[in-house]
Amino acid sequence: MAKKSHPIALVTGATSGIGRATALRLGHMGYNVIITGRRSERLVALSQEIEKETKSHTLPLVFDVRSFEEVQKHLGTLPSEWTDIEVLVNNAGLAAGMEPLQDGLVDDWERMIDTNIKGLLYVTKVVSPRMIARGRGHIFNIGSIAGREVYPSGNVYCATKHAVDALSKGMRIDMHKYGIKVTQIAPGAVETEFSLVRFHDDTARAEKVYEGYTPLTGDDIASCIEAALRLPDNVCLADMLVLPKAQG
Ligand code: NDP
């Protein structure tokens, strides 16, 4: 059971990479954390790790953000001590395929659009009304440098992250008057399982991505989220582009 005195955070895509590091960090910051993803064994392991390392409690929830029914079922009926979510981190996302547009697979396009855009919308639609009713909350959307530029074979992934950029601005405009901050974090290259997913488990291709420079880590992005959360209440860090030093 969650202790009432701890604020509550929700991180989507907490089974790996940026989401995992962020959930751990929020636990260390004193948040009780709702951790979500599709791989239940990883959520259970993370839950045990957070509860062992920190004084925080966790609520692991297994669902696919691409299904509005699943999102509603899990996040629309939270146990009462978990409903007052203060921090939402819309992180679940992926790149899939990354071929020139004419060679792309429709399945890959749908996975990216359904996860990166619709998943973020579904979770926000279910979680934000209670933030609005309480008059407080902080929503983080994990965008990407791919939301600022378009690179070869990035076509649909870049389009989804441009959408995250637009939605972050739209959410801020619509919600700031209810006391809700919206922060987009737009990372450059972060070493996670992202590249493996992106290249359909082709390890050799995935490893090549980070050749010649030191990428960011999930922990670096968690530090950016922590920094935004530690700002005074009247300060909203709207948008943060975070790059490895060697990425131009
Ligand atoms: P990872 O592949 O390591 O993590 C992705 C997370 O998203 C996993 O926890 C995965 O959980 C979850 N996820 C994916 N699809 C779904 C789904 N349909 N339903 C629920 N959860 C899902 O990658 P990163 O940590 O790098 O990626 C996190 C975010 O950061 C993404 O939005 C990505 O676009 C963005 N980003 C990443 C960059 C990078 O270089 N790594 C750069 C810029 C942005 P599970 O599989 O268990 O469901």
Side-chain angles (χ1 to χ4, degrees):
M1 169 153 320
K3 285 210 188 78
K4 271 278 177 206
S5 53
H6 291 230
I8 295 165
L10 162 61
V11 181
T12 67
T15 55
S16 156
I18 294 170
R20 186 182 187 286
T22 300
L24 255 172
R25 181 68 64 90
L26 289 165
H28 280 286
M29 288 175 70
Y31 287 85
N32 285 333
V33 198
I34 304 170
I35 48 177
T36 82
R38 292 166 301 175
R39 288 169 289 182
S40 59
E41 66 295 343
R42 289 201 184 196
L43 286 180
V44 170
L46 177 62
S47 164
Q48 288 167 349
E49 190 175 340
I50 293 174
E51 298 202 354
K52 192 167 160 225
E53 281 188 18
T54 76
K55 292 190 171 63
S56 298
H57 294 258
T58 57
L59 179 64
L61 296 177
V62 181
F63 64 86
D64 190 323
V65 295
R66 292 174 294 181
S67 158
F68 185 59
E69 286 69 31
E70 280 194 46
V71 171
Q72 238 181 344
K73 182 173 129 205
H74 290 280
L75 298 180
T77 58
L78 289 166
S80 59
E81 66 273 25
W82 287 96
T83 52
D84 289 343
I85 296 167
E86 295 240 352
V87 174
L88 163 62
V89 184
N90 277 316
N91 164 73
L94 77 159
M98 311 290 278
E99 309 297 343
L101 194 85
Q102 62 277 15
D103 299 328
L105 301 177
V106 171
D107 274 359
D108 284 339
W109 299 346
E110 286 179 345
R111 277 174 72 201
M112 290 188 275
I113 291 167
D114 290 352
T115 311
N116 301 357
I117 303 175
K118 292 190 193 169
L120 178 148
L121 284 171
Y122 295 162
V123 172
T124 306
K125 179 163 179 60
V126 174
V127 170
S128 60
R130 186 136 178 105
M131 286 182 170
I132 288 170
R134 296 178 70 228
R136 55 182 294 139
H138 198 152
I139 299 174
F140 289 86
N141 293 330
I142 307 300
S144 172
I145 189 172
R148 315 281 167 111
E149 54 191 59
V150 179
Y151 44 77
S153 299
N155 45 71
V156 176
Y157 179 65
C158 293
T160 65
K161 290 300 181 178
H162 276 69
V164 172
D165 182 49
L167 289 171
S168 301
K169 289 178 184 137
M171 277 182 204
R172 195 173 317 110
I173 290 165
D174 291 343
M175 296 185 192
H176 79 275
K177 53 185 168 287
Y178 301 107
I180 296 173
K181 297 185 190 182
V182 179
T183 299
Q184 175 180 218
I185 307 272
V190 189
E191 190 166 13
T192 62
E193 292 172 22
F194 179 84
S195 286
L196 216 50
V197 176
R198 173 183 181 182
F199 297 122
H200 295 303
D201 289 328
D202 181 339
T203 321
R205 229 178 138 192
E207 280 169 1
K208 262 195 169 316
V209 172
Y210 311 117
E211 256 175 21
Y213 71 101
T214 308
L216 301 168
T217 63
D219 216 38
D220 294 327
I221 304 303
S223 295
C224 297
I225 291 174
E226 177 171 359
L229 284 171
R230 290 200 187 281
L231 288 169
D233 189 48
N234 70 324
V235 181
C236 175
L237 186 61
D239 199 4
M240 199 191 254
L241 177 66
V242 192
L243 301 175
K245 196 163 67 176
Q247 189 176 4

